[in-house]
Amino acid sequence: MIRKGASSNVMVFPESDYDNSAFGFSNGQYTFSHKAYGADRIRYSWNFGRNWTEWVTWEDTTFINSSLFDSSDNFWQGQHIIVQCKFCHCIHFHRR
Amino acid sequence: MFSNKAWQRHSCYRLGSDQYFNVPLEKALLGCMDDWNSLDHFDPTATSRRVFGHYLYLRSQYPVLQDGFDLVQRGNWTYDVQLPGSNGTATEKGLYSVSRSAIPNVQNLTGNSSDQVWMLYTNENTTKNYQFDCASPQWISTPFVSGTVVRNLMSPFENYTLADSLSSYFNDSKAPFQGCLANVSMDSYGFKVLVPATEWVPPRPALTKFTPGHDARIASDANGGNSTVAISIEFNTVMSCNGVTQALSLNMSSSGHGGNPTFDANSIQCGQVQNPDPTTIPGDVQSVWSWSATLQNVPDGILTLTLNNAPASDGRTTGVWPTLLNKYGGFTDPIIVQGCVVDPQRGF
């Protein structure tokens, strides 16, 4: 197994785990632009890991509901998400 | 262990030991600075895994190694030393000899070498030679008859011809005599598993090394968007070049970006390994033969290579053991979950 990718790809370089440029906001819509090519499932948390979304199939851009950031439980300022991704390895064996 | 940064972060031991005198912590002291610790550890070419794979193969070939209950201590050529910090407790060092067989009239084992397997092992940390006159009280006895050629099932697979001893093989005071090993050299912490050469089986064809390395990380922005990756696989046995090419399959996970990599057919090279890596633990084997190629059109992502029953030049195959990654057999397993991206915006 080898992994190839840009230095910002956290699947390849796990130290690249802090990235403001991926989290966008435009016309009232929060977006997250994924860079971890190689992952096939992703999920995110909008409250520092207390709640997570379901694992979903890879998408280049995730659209995030802005109401998630409006909760009165969010005692911090600003918006913050943690994104996780994973790679499910499948091997097929054959008998001849 | 799957790839995880936590293994690395926890890997700088700082406490020392009260119990063990001058314990050689070495790598444990600096592990948090060694990026290897955060890589996937299911490396099919890992030294210890290959050696244990060979043990298991030998057990499958020699019923005595699998099930023989009759363990006989044949002798030891040892002495006691006082190691620093051991508070008067002596440590025995030297050469030991044991043999294994089925318990007669109790066990009935069939198959290769169903009679006796003879083992020599040492806890000396230097290479030592043991040479004793076969007529002396110190002679190295064997479970085999004089004149037998015995062969080591472990690397380097060498032969010894057993000499006459003064001990009658059938306990009737006449020839044939019990076999004597007149001279043997034991490597540091080395061991030998000896059977009659007529019952010897070669090791299974197996991988010995993968380049650029299991779970290697390749930066694609550093090399100008280059989409080629050179790989090589080394083996303990001369393999079929075409056979390896056909047995190797690629599985690319690239999140929908880019296509599937292919071999550059003109880049495939096979041949003898000229300067194999030295072995690092007793029982390990060196590379003999290598297959190399250039992969084209490799997109960013995770590439898994699988070798399925690659044939050796004599037709034997690697079996299911050596796959380049992976692991517990034919099921789907999620192996990598990493905290990926923490991303605050506007404040905090």
Side-chain angles (χ1 to χ4, degrees):
Chain A
M1 178 172 80
I2 56 177
R3 307 191 199 206
K4 172 176 174 288
S7 56
S8 59
N9 182 339
V10 76
M11 276 311 243
V12 184
F13 300 103
E15 298 285 357
S16 304
D17 59 354
Y18 198 88
D19 183 0
N20 281 353
S21 67
F23 196 13
F25 180 70
S26 175
N27 298 326
Q29 176 66 59
Y30 290 98
T31 57
F32 188 90
S33 306
H34 297 280
K35 298 173 183 172
Y37 294 172
D40 52 19
R41 308 281 280 175
I42 44 183
R43 69 174 185 175
Y44 65 89
S45 170
W46 56 93
N47 52 11
F48 294 90
R50 184 179 177 193
N51 299 97
W52 291 91
T53 62
E54 293 297 312
W55 286 103
V56 298
T57 305
W58 172 275
E59 52 197 1
D60 285 353
T61 303
T62 297
F63 294 94
I64 298 155
N65 191 335
S66 62
S67 65
L68 292 173
F69 299 119
D70 297 337
S71 166
S72 58
D73 290 341
N74 296 3
F75 56 84
W76 53 88
Q77 290 189 322
Q79 295 77 32
H80 172 277
I81 67 168
I82 304 173
V83 179
Q84 286 187 335
C85 46
K86 67 178 177 179
F87 160 60
C88 292
H89 185 80
C90 312
I91 288 211
H92 306 277
F93 284 90
H94 308 272
R95 279 196 183 279
R96 291 182 182 168
Chain B
M1 297 192 297
F2 55 87
S3 170
N4 193 318
K5 208 69 186 167
W7 313 136
Q8 186 175 350
R9 289 181 179 135
H10 292 162
S11 310
C12 278
Y13 184 72
R14 293 282 186 244
L15 294 179
S17 172
D18 286 340
Q19 186 177 2
Y20 299 107
F21 184 80
N22 278 349
V23 58
L25 291 163
E26 299 174 356
K27 280 185 172 179
L29 298 170
L30 300 170
C32 59
M33 298 168 204
D34 182 354
D35 285 342
W36 175 85
N37 280 308
S38 56
L39 302 182
D40 184 273
H41 283 16
F42 293 104
D43 176 2
T45 64
T47 310
S48 52
R49 181 172 169 167
R50 290 190 285 108
V51 171
F52 275 86
H54 184 50
Y55 294 159
L56 293 170
Y57 178 68
L58 292 179
R59 288 182 186 124
S60 76
Q61 296 296 306
Y62 293 88
V64 166
L65 288 178
Q66 175 74 36
D67 295 314
F69 277 134
D70 196 5
L71 179 70
V72 177
Q73 285 185 274
R74 306 202 69 86
N76 52 293
W77 294 262
T78 57
Y79 56 96
D80 285 347
V81 293
Q82 294 283 339
L83 295 176
S86 58
N87 297 324
T89 304
T91 298
E92 183 178 322
K93 300 195 74 150
L95 173 67
Y96 302 80
S97 167
V98 299
S99 61
R100 269 183 80 181
S101 63
I103 298 176
N105 304 319
V106 174
Q107 286 185 288
N108 182 23
L109 305 179
T110 55
N112 282 334
S113 194
S114 52
D115 185 18
Q116 295 275 355
V117 173
W118 177 41
M119 288 171 261
L120 291 171
Y121 52 94
T122 179
N123 58 353
E124 295 281 4
N125 64 358
T126 55
T127 299
K128 286 208 168 181
N129 201 59
Y130 294 87
Q131 185 169 8
F132 299 109
D133 187 336
C134 286
S136 77
Q138 287 183 297
W139 69 290
I140 300 176
S141 76
T142 77
F144 307 112
V145 67
S146 168
T148 304
V149 176
V150 294
R151 190 163 185 190
N152 192 355
L153 289 168
M154 306 301 297
S155 176
F157 313 111
E158 76 280 20
N159 288 305
Y160 302 91
T161 302
L162 302 181
D164 282 350
S165 66
L166 298 182
S167 181
S168 165
Y169 190 71
F170 293 113
N171 251 338
D172 54 2
S173 305
K174 59 183 182 185
F177 297 100
Q178 207 170 346
C180 165
L181 184 62
N183 187 355
V184 64
S185 176
M186 298 296 292
D187 289 342
S188 165
Y189 297 108
F191 50 89
K192 300 181 188 301
V193 183
L194 297 149
V195 294
T198 50
E199 297 178 359
W200 185 86
V201 295
R204 189 169 51 177
L207 298 179
T208 47
K209 186 180 181 183
F210 170 58
T211 307
H214 180 72
D215 206 13
R217 311 300 169 102
I218 299 167
S220 58
D221 42 9
N223 59 9
N226 196 339
S227 66
T228 63
V229 175
I231 61 168
S232 78
I233 309 169
E234 296 177 9
F235 295 85
N236 65 344
T237 306
V238 177
M239 305 292 288
S240 155
C241 193
N242 280 336
V244 170
T245 306
Q246 285 164 16
L248 191 64
S249 60
L250 307 175
N251 191 321
M252 188 76 219
S253 175
S254 60
S255 306
H257 295 262
N260 284 315
T262 52
F263 297 123
D264 177 356
N266 296 323
S267 71
I268 295 172
Q269 289 190 326
C270 297
Q272 301 286 327
V273 175
Q274 297 301 331
N275 294 301
D277 291 348
T279 57
T280 52
I281 61 173
D284 195 12
V285 294
Q286 289 191 309
S287 298
V288 167
W289 186 91
S290 77
W291 178 100
S292 64
T294 303
L295 299 179
Q296 297 171 316
N297 303 317
V298 183
D300 285 4
I302 299 170
L303 174 64
T304 307
L305 303 94
T306 303
L307 197 64
N308 189 13
N309 273 330
S313 58
D314 61 9
R316 294 177 304 130
T317 65
T318 54
V320 295
W321 173 49
T323 57
L324 280 181
L325 201 95
N326 213 0
K327 263 167 42 206
Y328 314 121
F331 60 89
T332 302
D333 49 341
I335 54 168
I336 294 152
V337 183
Q338 319 202 73
C340 276
V341 182
V342 180
D343 202 328
Q345 190 177 18
R346 280 171 260 164
F348 192 73

